[in-house]
Each structure stands twice: as structure tokens, then as C-alpha cells.
Amino acid sequence: MRLPSGLLVASVAAGLHSVAATLLAMPAAALQFGLAMLLALLGYVLASRDVRRVRWAVAAGLGFLAVVAAMRLFWYQGQVDELGWLTSGQGAAKTALLARWREMIDREMLAALGLALGVLCLAAGVLALPSRRRRRGVATTVLALLLFAWFGLNLARRLGRHPLPDLLGTVWPALLAALVTMGALALSGWRADRRWLLPVGLVLLSLVAADAYSDLAAAWSGWWVMTKPADGAFLATGVAVSTSSEGFPQLSQAIEVAIALAGAGLVAVGAVRSSREADAA
């Protein structure tokens, strides 16, 4: 078996193991297999021949996504090591809780920034492909506009509840990632491979970016409510505060992992295939 094909098979196998580990509630193993999938996929792109026009852009995108996976694995291991901390006193407990919450938000901002850089590089790979198919281009443009309208409506619902500058100052990396992926989706049909792997992958990555925005906005919203509660509101330390985002479908963690990994894989393989088809035409 040729090296690129072997790396692609290894990437698929690692991705399936990541989803299975998520189903079995094994977060560390899921992150490890997810990282292994992205690294194998990165090797597949770098080892593929005759794809110079997209190789480095797609490889850089996969590299940023792998860095995000590695950071999440590092953070998870750190959380496991820090389990069991206690703080006495209600005031001190609330302060510690809010500080911990803010640290989590900062980490999610960093992960969202890595996602944004990754999809920016993947979008650059899409733009490097020659435009060929008009009908498919119209289809993906319409689909991207529909996704953008859905995303915009849900974004508008949240903007009126909290200070806009503070909210955008936190969620901008995830918002950028969502807008970039939807823009790349709109252009992907003109440059798609015959099997439509590239557009399908970008649809999945658009959902991943939208979900990242949803989670980050919900986490910040809960933290903001805790730090500046409304008049007459009662919040007690130790009581769980729901951070579910209205308007966005709530999926199981295993499905979210599958969508993220499948999106990255389909975009990478689709870009490679589309580049080869363009050269052969």
C-alpha cells in the first residue's frame, strides 16, 4: 500500500477510535486518537504528489487544528491533576468559582483562535483551486447563505441581552471561524471535486465553528450573569447555571467529535482530489 493511502487509512481508523472513546466516556483517549487522526491526515497531505497548489495551505490548516487538539489534551490532563480543590467560605468560594470560570473562557478563546487560524488556512487552500463548475457553485453559495442566515438570526437573539462590546470581545475568534468557513463553503462548489467531498467537509466545519461560537457565548453569558446579576436575581454558589445556547441544536459529544473530525478529513481529502482533477483536466 502506498504511503499516502496508508496514512489516510490510519487517519480514518484513529478518527473512529476517537468517536468510540467519546462514547465510552474516555476523554483523554478521545483527544489522543483525535490528535493522531489529524497528524496522520497532515502526513497524507504532505506526502501526496502533484498537489502543490493546496498542499501547504491545507497542511497549515490541519496543523493548527492539531495544535488545538493537543492544547485540549494538555488542559484535560491538568484538570484531572487539579481535582479535589476546596475553598472555605461562600465569598471565597464564589471568587474562586468565577476565576476558574474565567480561566475556562480564556482557554476556549484560545482554542477558538486556533480553529479560526485553521479554517483560514483551509479557506486559502480552497481559493487556490481553479474555478470550474458553475452549477455546483450556485448550489453551495445558496447553502452558505442559508447557513449564514440561520447563524445570524441566532446571533441577533443573543446580542440584545448583554453588552455588545464585551460579548464580541470574547467570542470574536469563534465568530471569525464561522464566517470564514461559510465563506469558503460558498466558494467551494466552483472548485469542488467530483464526489463533493470538499463542500460536504466545509458544511461540517461550518457547524463546528457555529457550535464553538455557541459554547463560548454561553460560557461568557453565564459568567457575566454571575458577576453582574440582575436586580432581584438570586444566585447561590454551588448551584448549576444552565449555559445551553438557544437556537443551536444540542448534540451528543460523540456526534460533535465525529462532525469535527469528519469535516477536517473531508476538506483535506477533497482539496487534494480537486487539485488533481484540475491538473488532469
Side-chain angles (χ1 to χ4, degrees), residues 171-249:
V171 304
W172 70 265
L175 181 60
L176 175 63
L179 295 178
V180 169
T181 49
M182 292 176 192
L185 171 62
L187 300 174
S188 64
W190 309 88
R191 300 161 171 81
D193 56 291
R194 294 177 182 175
R195 297 184 179 179
W196 268 58
L197 300 180
L198 183 60
V200 172
L202 285 170
V203 169
L204 297 180
L205 283 184
S206 296
L207 297 177
V208 170
D211 185 65
Y213 163 81
S214 172
D215 291 343
L216 186 55
W220 178 87
S221 177
W223 174 84
W224 188 84
V225 170
M226 284 286 289
T227 55
K228 299 178 180 180
D231 294 337
F234 177 76
L235 292 175
T237 302
V239 177
V241 178
S242 175
T243 58
S244 61
S245 183
E246 296 179 5
F248 288 89

Side-chain angles (χ1 to χ4, degrees), residues 22-200:
T22 306
L23 286 171
L24 296 174
M26 302 170 62
L31 290 169
Q32 290 170 354
F33 281 119
L35 178 59
M37 173 189 170
L38 292 171
L39 293 177
L41 197 59
L42 175 60
Y44 165 78
V45 172
L46 291 175
S48 297
R49 299 178 180 179
D50 303 326
V51 291
R52 294 181 180 179
R53 72 178 79 212
V54 300
R55 175 182 295 161
W56 298 111
V58 174
L62 293 174
F64 279 116
L65 296 181
V67 169
V68 172
M71 288 192 304
R72 290 193 179 281
L73 179 60
F74 176 76
W75 293 337
Y76 175 76
Q77 292 175 341
Q79 289 174 354
V80 172
D81 294 338
E82 294 174 4
L83 285 178
W85 62 276
L86 294 174
T87 306
S88 58
Q90 183 176 358
K94 181 179 179 180
T95 301
L97 173 64
L98 292 176
R100 188 76 172 181
W101 202 334
R102 184 68 231 190
E103 181 183 359
M104 179 192 70
I105 293 173
D106 292 340
R107 288 180 175 181
E108 289 303 316
M109 283 185 62
L110 186 58
L113 179 59
L115 174 63
L117 293 174
V119 297
L120 276 171
C121 292
L122 294 177
V126 173
L127 290 175
L129 294 168
S131 178
R132 293 173 293 160
R133 298 177 174 88
R134 295 183 179 180
R135 293 182 180 179
R136 294 185 177 185
V138 172
T140 56
T141 299
V142 171
L143 178 58
L145 289 175
L146 291 175
L147 282 175
F148 179 78
W150 165 76
F151 182 75
L153 288 174
N154 288 284
L155 175 63
R157 292 178 182 176
R158 184 174 292 276
L159 292 182
R161 303 179 184 178
H162 307 295
L164 181 59
D166 293 343
L167 175 62
L168 293 181
T170 299
V171 304
W172 70 265
L175 181 60
L176 175 63
L179 295 178
V180 169
T181 49
M182 292 176 192
L185 171 62
L187 300 174
S188 64
W190 309 88
R191 300 161 171 81
D193 56 291
R194 294 177 182 175
R195 297 184 179 179
W196 268 58
L197 300 180
L198 183 60
V200 172

